[in-house]
Amino acid sequence: MSSQAAAKGNQEDYKMKDTKPELGERWPHGGQRGGSGWLYSERATSTYDLVEQMFYLYVRVVKAKDLPPNPVTSNIDPYVEVKVGNYKGKTRHFEKKTSPEWKQVFAFSKDKIQSSIVEVFVRDKDMVARDDYIGKVEFDMHEVPTRVPPDSPLAPQWYRLENLRGEARSRGEIMLAVWMGTQADEAFPEAWHSDSASVKGEGVYNIRSKVYVNPKLWYLRVNVIEAQDVEPQDKSQPPQVFVKGQVGQQVLKTKLCPAKTPNPMWNEDLVFVAAEPFEEKLVLTVENKASPGKDEVVAKIALPLNKFEIRLDHRAVHSHWYNLERFGFGVLEGDKRNETKFSSRIHLRVCLEGAYHVLDEFTMYISDTRPTARQLWKQPIGILEVGILSAQGLQSMKTNNGKGSTDAYCVAKYGQKWVRTRTITENFNPKWNEQYTWEVYDPCTVITFGVFDNCHLGGGGQTQGSGAKIDSRIGKVRIRLSTLEMDRIYTNSYPLLVLKPSGLKKMGELQLAIRFTCLSIAHIIYLYGHPFLPKMHYLHPFTVNQLESLRYQAMNIVAVRLGRAEPPLRKEVVEYMLDVDSHIWSMRRSKANFFRIVSLFSGAISMSRWLGEVQQWKNPVTTILVHVLFFILICYPELILPTMFLYMFLIGIWNFRFRPRHPPEMDTKLSWAEAARPDELDEEFDTFPTSKAQDVIRMRYDRLRSVAGRIQTVVGDIATQGERFHILLSWRDPRATSLFLIFCLVAAVALYVTPFKVVASVAGIFWLRHPKFRSKLPSLPSNFFKRLPSRADNMI
């Protein structure tokens, strides 16, 4: 009983929970000079209404002037130190500068301020001894003004620096602005934060909140038509060539020309993924199959991508001839190239496809369906607003100074826009309270949230095989917009579940506030009847293998480009958010998908069982009512379709009472995450290609053969039943075919002379007959069908 109770407790722990955060903006009353302190009063706004208000004391250090030099060195290396209670923030120091400019903002969380004085010190950096004191400015917390957006930024002012005795005698001046604000302040993202005071050096840039934009991706279609005057190195034999195309790290080849000729033809398409700004060139090489194991480069050409035509519909673009550069001419042979009277050339039709959507996500969780070309975009149909509130109960992800810690940040991805919250250091219950907005172009899309541990702040963390640190996964949440009611705020706490080789683990909870606002209900209804992807995906579709390869290349390009931002959105984060490993074999996923298919047929199975009970007269009253309904439909066949649709309408109205009240969540039972065996999980997390020992690989291979054998048997049985239908009229079994033809002739005559209502009534009465008139043996049609031969007899 205890194990069952624990399992039930785990199931409840893995469920989504309702939360009731205090959303909206609550502003302090007073706070101006002469005010009466910090008294709260509510003020309705629409700027930051999906997050809990967080107050910060902001100190903007702009610059200083007329700072006195050190009497010993006659120089000064000034920096500023802002102190509020136990928290200290420092600017960088300037060497030998009496009028430095810092332009830096410090933010101190009001909840953690334990002092009523704000002190701003100016010091002289000393590399050997203690830093020298130059001067300071003090502010009373009760006198600090409050800035209420959308007011303009507070203007900084000059303040005279005082010595330790409070005297202002030629100590210089400093320009400052001090105010009380919230996370809605535009200074918030770039500010130094007191809750990340332990982060030093380059790590400061890795904790800031940022918005990233996907690079603009294009499909580059290269139609290789033909080439002329191809000369191999060995001129005694005609060349048999193929064309190899390369864009960045992507390499594709045409088929080998079947004929050995200097004028080969292919007419093949090579499709690449390219990103703006176009940094790579299209490099085409013509290679000759000199021998079975040797390909020699005959000629090549490099073309910049920005010179190609953009195609916005299905109409073909113009083709062009390009002169090829003969391979082997170097710098010293430049004169030879000019002496060549005739050169090889290649016929190409190249275009940038603007009417396709470049898929960089797994199609089941796609967040954007717009074509690449902006002129083909439609108007947005809604606005998605998300408040990333906080996380609760996060697990320790690494060890710093002998104790566990987690430096968590959250990433959200929807459409072309990625957002990253700031990193809250050494906190298992971080509060971000950051709000973001996206335009929605299709309601049947998915927004993805991921929580990660920042391992680039100077502490410990998980490493890759190469030794480089990677940001560890804490968990992921997906929400499909079509499951949300419009103009309703959803405040829920989502479990962060991660599947590890050791099993399923709950890493904490993510609290979100979400609102989907509709701009045009008519446009939404219109979209439900139109294709999900742009029409070019259906007019000129790619193959499944092409799509998978192109998606992988697009994901790599996105990861590389976002990894070059500051702070970088690292490759491991992008791969996790885009589900790059969704196509890898997993026994657990296979089981989950199999039982998903089984559940699809559960309704049909239940219906067949109910009909079997009616047929067996388990409940005579029900069987009699079915007889009555059957005869009514036989007498009035025009009621059959209206009855079916009315029945479905009534079922839908009845189910409205039990409709889901929350967005969908990760289902551990559906995923078979808890029932997966350790070896299955170890296989799922294995690298590709495998890195396991031979005995483990042999065991897994044998298990896979066993599973495949059962699938093979099922597929064979289905094929056998289908082939028996074909054999009925093929005279493979002459006696069976003769009997079936005689039956068909008799049935045709009988059905012609007998009214349809009589036939249907007799068939229904026969099928619903009482068990006393039934035999336990198989029926005659079943016996006849099972005796028919199939092509399984011809298999080796």
Side-chain angles (χ1 to χ4, degrees), residues 30-39 57 115-118 139-146 180:
Q32 304 289 336
R33 295 190 183 278
S36 57
W38 290 95
L39 299 175
L57 171 70
S115 173
S116 59
I117 300 295
V118 182
F139 297 90
D140 187 344
M141 285 281 292
H142 296 282
E143 299 296 322
V144 172
T146 299
M180 191 65 70

Side-chain angles (χ1 to χ4, degrees), residues 172 220 250 343 450 458 461 478 577 582 645 659 728 762 773 784:
L220 174 68
Q250 308 168 66
S343 65
R478 296 191 200 97
M577 297 291 288
S582 58
F645 285 107
R659 67 191 185 278
L728 276 173
V762 171
F773 304 104
F784 178 79

Side-chain angles (χ1 to χ4, degrees), residues 235-290:
K235 297 184 179 180
S236 62
Q237 293 184 352
Q240 187 176 20
V241 297
F242 63 91
V243 176
K244 181 170 73 174
Q246 182 171 358
V247 177
Q249 301 297 319
Q250 308 168 66
V251 179
L252 296 174
K253 299 178 182 179
T254 66
K255 294 178 181 177
L256 190 67
C257 181
K260 290 187 176 184
T261 173
N263 301 313
M265 296 189 66
W266 298 279
N267 197 24
E268 287 187 41
D269 281 351
L270 306 179
V271 184
F272 303 89
V273 179
E276 290 186 7
F278 298 127
E279 299 175 350
E280 299 91 3
K281 290 185 177 181
L282 169 63
V283 179
L284 296 174
T285 57
V286 180
E287 301 187 16
N288 179 32
K289 196 76 173 177

